[in-house]
Every structure is written in C-alpha cells, then in structure tokens.
Amino acid sequence: MAQIKFQRLSSASPTFWMLVLAHVGVVAAGLGAALFMETNGHRVTGMTNQIVWGTPHVFAVFLIVSASGALNVASVSSVFSRLAYKPFARLSGILAISLLAGGLAVLVLDLGRPDRLLVAMTTYNFRSIFAWNIYLYTGFMAIVVAYLFSMMDRRVSKMTAVNKTFGWAAFSWRLILTTGTGSIFGFLVARDAVSGGVMAPLFIASSLVYGLAFTVLVLLMMSIETHETLCTREMISKFRGLLIIFSLTVLFLTAILHVSKIYAAPTRAVEAFILLDGGVYPLVFWGGQVFLGNILPLLMLAYMPRAHSKRNTLGLASILFLVGGLAQMYVVIIGTQAFPLNIFPGYEVSSTFGDGAINAYSPSLPEILLGLSGISIAMLIATAAFRLLPFLPHGVPVDAHGVAQEAEEAMAEAGAAA
Amino acid sequence: MSSCSGDDEKAGMDRRGLLQSAGAFAATMLAPGVTLYAFGGGEAEALQARPADQPASPKQRWGMLIDLNKCSTGCNACVTACKDYNGWQDTGRADIDPQWIRKVTLKDPQTGVERSAPVMCQHCASPPCVDVCPTGASMKRADGIVLVNKHICIGCRYCMMACPFKARSFIHEDETGQKVNNPSGKGTVEGCTLCVDRVDAGQRPACVEACAKEGGALIFGDLKDPQSEISQALRKLPSTKLRADLGVDPGVQYANLT
Ligand code: SF4
Ligand code: SF4
C-alpha cells in the first residue's frame, strides 16, 4: 500500500499569526460575553421566555453537526478504501474533534448555570436525548482519537484491520451522533415546524455538506500556509462532486420536510409562516438557506471554470455552504420558536405571555460573540494540533487517476512528534 | 428527590386507605350534586397531609379541573394568588417575566364568543419536559406533580422547548426576597408546582383557594380516588385535556371548552 508523507505546520508567516490573533481575539470576546451573560443573567441577551434558544444555539448546533460531517473524508478513505482521500484522513479527524469542542463550548457557556457543568456530567437522565448526546459527543471524541492513533502510530498504522475497525467505529458513531442531534429537534412533539422523523436524515445530509466545506476551507488555507498544493486538482473535482451530491440531498430532504408539513392541515400555518409570511424567517430560508447556501454554490460548482480559479471557486462555494448552514439552523431553531404554540386549536388566543402572538427575537451582541467564538475555538484547536503533530499531508504526488503514489516512510515523524 | 423513589408504592398504602375512607365518608355525607358544587364555596373535601417521613404515593394523582363556564374574563385572582404565594417577580420586561399561571383569552373565530382560561403546568403523566431534561432536574413525583429540582437544573431550557403548553419560565436576572417555598434563582427554570408544599400539608393550591372566593372554577384533588371531588365532578362535566392528540396526558382538565 502506498505510504503517504505527513508534516507539521511550521509556518510563521505574518498572515498566519494575524489569523491566530484574530481567533484569539474572538475567543476572548466570546468568553467575555459569556461572563457578561452569566453575571447579569440572560436578560442582556435577545432570548426571552418565548425564544428560549437563541443565536448561541444556532452556532453550537451548526458546529456539532459540522463536526460529524468533517469526519467524512476519513470515513471515505478507511471505510470505503478510497486511497485518494487517505492523505486528508488525519486532518479530517482532528477537524471533527475541534468543531465538536467548539460547538460544545458554546452550548455549555450559554447554560443558565454553566458552573453546574459537573452536575451535567455526573447526573444523567437516561431518557433524555440530550443526555444521550453528551455520551455520543464524548464517545465520538474518544473514538476519533483512537482512530487518529491507529492512523498515526508507526506500528498500528500498518495493521490495516485495526485501522479499518476504528474507521468503521468512527463512521457508525458519527451517523448515530448526527441522528441524535437531529432528534433533539425531532423529539419536540409540540413544535410543529420540526417534530418528526425526517429531521435526523436531514441533519446527516447537512452535516456532510458543512463538514466537507470546513475540510475544504482548512485544506485551502493550509495550502497557503505550507506553500504546497494540498488540495490537488483531482481532489478538487472529487470534493466538488461530493459537495454537489450532498447539497442536492439537503435540498431534497428539506423539500420533503416542508411538503409533508404543508400536506398535513395542522402544520400548514407554521409552514406558511416559515415559507411565506413570517417576516425575517422566509427571507433567511429562501435567501439564506436555499439560494445563498445551496443554489448559488451548486451553480458555481456545476459551472466551475477550468484551471487555476477552480480552487477559489471551491473555496467560495464552501463559504456559501457554511453561510447556508447557519441560515438553516436559524430557521430551524429560532423560526420554530417564533411561531406560537398551538395550545387551543381552533381558537384565536391572546395573553400576557405571548400566546397566539409571533414572538420577537433579535440577536444581541453577546450572543453573536459567544456563537462566533465557537468557530474560533475550533480553528484554534485545529491549528494547535497541526503545529504539534503531523496531521497535514506533505508532497502528495497524484497521478492522472488521482491515486496517491508511493512515498517514503513518514511515520517516523509521528513518532518523533509524539 | 426522595419523593420520586420506587418505595413510594408501599409507603403510600396506608395513607391511601385513610384517604379512601375519608373520601367515602365525604361521599356519603354529601349528595353528589352538593359535592360537585361545594368546592366553589370553599367547603371542599378535606385533604390529607403527607407525613414528613413518607414519600409521595403513586396511589394518588393530583390534578385539577377548570370549569370555563365559571371563569370570567376579567378575573385574575388565581394568577395574583400564585404570584403572591410563590413569589415570582416582575422584571420590568414582559418578555422575560416569569409566569407560572396566566389567563389566556380564547375567541371562537366563528361565533366571536370570548372566554378565558387559566393555563399553568398541566402536570402531564408523560411529561416531555421530564423526558428531555439532561440532568433529571425536571421530575415527576410519584403522585403526578411535576417539579424542577433547582439544585441540579443547569438552565439548558430544553424542557421549555419541549413543553407543549409554555408552562415554564427561565429566570433571566438576579432576584431578591424569594419565598421560602420557592427558592427561585437566576439561570434556572421553574413552573407551577401545584403548590406542592401546601398539598403535602393537606391544603389546596393557592390559586384554587383564591378562585373559590371568586367564580369557583378550579377543583383540585386526587384523580385516582373515584370518590374525590374532582373525580365526581369529572364524571358529570364533559371535560377536555389540552392537546390530547399529543398523548402527554395532562393532569389538568378543562370543562366547557367548546
Ligand atoms: S405542562 Fe409542560 S412543564 Fe408541565 S408537565 Fe407538561 S410538559 Fe412538563
Ligand atoms: S432547564 Fe433545568 S429542568 Fe429544564 S431541561 Fe434543562 S436542566 Fe432540566
């Protein structure tokens, strides 16, 4: 089997340090925002007793969903034995862990009582899909770490069976994980906009888009930093194909979700709200999620120009997919709560507690900073990992068929770094 | 938390016997019609206090019947009484004010007829809030009362996302002067406790007491005791559970909601 070389990130360009500094700044601002929210209470946020989950949850769920998708490249290489993806498997694994850590950090920092994290980690309600998710997340990290070890350790990496086993474990685990995350919403029986079984497959498909988009962007960024073409032409066309398929799947499942809810009379009103007359939500749905986040990047990828600008097009499309992901989460999480619960079907209702009324929400600065800090936490963890251990491929020569060629033994690097 | 333990069944046996005899006694002494309407005048059946050393019993299920024909649009007595007794506080911003109980105005779009319904935690038999709570802070007592254990609530608000009736409130800022019976605190979630401390002491919830002096629309009692005032009233008044289609089986029922 072909041996692939790996390298640590050793760049010290001003751009690199500026980026790192920017991320550190965002993380500091996010932590400050969390402290501000914790000290003053959630009064200082846009969240209320009607919109109980806000912008931090949009980012947190988006990152968690992306995390499981980021592992996709590693899965394709180990589980489906596609050698072309192998040079990127390590990067994909560590990116998955980083994104998950970023998402969880935001989720925890938004809690009403983040000081009770220990309680959350020691007192479980096993009927709660949320509690199951805590297991799923920690389990995911453990499995991916084991998987990375199986790829990076000099001896273990030669045992194809071991590597494959961990690859399969990580692959199955991440499917369950995303099902679990989707089910957090699917289980909300009273929330007409999201209850139901299609949320789980929709989240899996979405995770593949966002995870791969993150992977592509990190690869492109690292290509600049390492002055190497990490994302070869063959890989660009492979990633392009995958992104097109995943994005079409998301569009298809989104259509099923909405059509099935339009078909059922009781959920027609909430559909009209999200798709037509709900103010900002139809705008975010059609403009953000559907057009900017799927159609436009799909068109860009479908009519991708030849030669050198391909890389830029792929990068731009990936950014758009991520913007679409945030828009999707905004509609799913906040749009769902903005629409009034139907407690007395058939009546026009009103009360001092917002019954029957559309609930207003506008994101506050602390929430946005906390949310953004999740992305920065993920990027900083990934960068630190890239510098500490050889996660990045090095000099991947690719033949006409996109198959990695023989390269020297590289595992010594892993040993030396460890 | 101990009240949730599995020993409840045995421990509650004696008390149930006692309650049943009390119920039977009440039923023989009062004609059914009298029993039914007595609650409005504050002469409702006597409830039994729960001995401090005994956990809540699964032989009981506390519930409430709300007769909308007796609840007037302008009356807010139940809300005021709950607020006074449990000490939930105004924040100066309606959207973050906690509300354990609220009056919802219902308008029939066809007839234009308006009525008013108090809505609070419905103390569901299959409560989604309990199912989703990651720490188990949301819990259902053996006797059906759904509570939040404020010591282990981490303030994730998943229960609020899951509750079909918007029955819970998150505390958005520091509070002072909380009531002993409601150790409310910033960053946690709370909702109607059915005045669990009063119920354990053999009293009715504060809203029910207050309503008795007004329209007398609220009947409180043990749904599992066929002789209880509420069970008898339920047999006479056609009643509805809110969003019965969701299958959460609320312990609060509404009469004359049509
Ligand atoms: S009404 Fe809401 S808070 Fe009360 S038990 Fe039912 S689900 Fe839980
Ligand atoms: S807010 Fe508290 S009671 Fe509600 S689900 Fe979270 S931990 Fe449980």
Side-chain angles (χ1 to χ4, degrees), chain A residues 9 11-27 217-218 220-222 224-225 375-377 379-380 383:
Chain A
L9 178 65
S11 145
S13 73
T15 333
F16 172 78
W17 287 114
M18 280 211 348
L19 263 179
V20 169
L21 209 66
H23 282 308
V24 170
V26 175
V27 173
L217 285 173
V218 168
L220 293 178
M221 184 57 74
M222 288 303 122
I224 299 174
E225 284 309 318
I375 297 183
S376 289
I377 289 174
M379 291 305 121
L380 284 178
T383 310

Side-chain angles (χ1 to χ4, degrees), chain A residues 38-39 42-43 49-50 52-53 110 112-113 116 125 127-128 184 191 342 348 350 352-353 355, chain B residues 95 97 102 105 107 130-134 150 153-158 161 166 170 172-173 186 243:
Chain A
E38 160 82 344
T39 319
H42 278 60
R43 185 190 178 101
N49 272 329
Q50 315 299 335
V52 302
W53 281 358
D110 173 77
R113 298 292 306 259
R116 288 185 178 165
N125 164 23
R127 294 185 63 171
S128 168
I184 287 182
R191 304 277 178 179
N342 190 11
E348 285 167 13
S350 60
T352 53
F353 204 53
D355 288 277
Chain B
D95 57 352
D97 279 346
R102 62 192 190 268
T105 307
K107 188 173 160 198
V130 173
D131 284 346
V132 300
C133 175
K150 297 209 180 82
C153 171
I154 53 173
C156 69
R157 287 105 74 203
Y158 195 16
M161 287 291 282
K166 281 210 301 189
F170 180 65
H172 283 74
E173 60 182 20
K186 179 182 76 186
R243 291 301 304 265

Side-chain angles (χ1 to χ4, degrees), chain B residues 133-135 137-138 148 152-159 168 189:
Chain B
C133 175
T135 62
S138 272
V148 178
I152 57 171
C153 171
I154 53 173
C156 69
R157 287 105 74 203
Y158 195 16
C159 54
R168 287 196 168 170
V189 160

Side-chain angles (χ1 to χ4, degrees), chain B residues 65-69 115 237-240 253-258:
Chain B
L65 175 62
I66 301 173
D67 184 351
L68 295 192
N69 276 358
R115 42 183 54 230
L237 285 171
S239 68
T240 325
Q253 304 189 34
Y254 290 77
N256 294 308
L257 172 71
T258 36

Side-chain angles (χ1 to χ4, degrees), chain B residues 120-130 138 144 146-147 159 162-168 191-192 248 250:
Chain B
M120 71 294 270
C121 172
Q122 306 285 298
H123 297 277
C124 311
S126 308
C129 60
V130 173
S138 272
V146 176
L147 299 170
C159 54
C163 172
F165 309 108
K166 281 210 301 189
R168 287 196 168 170
C192 158
V248 296

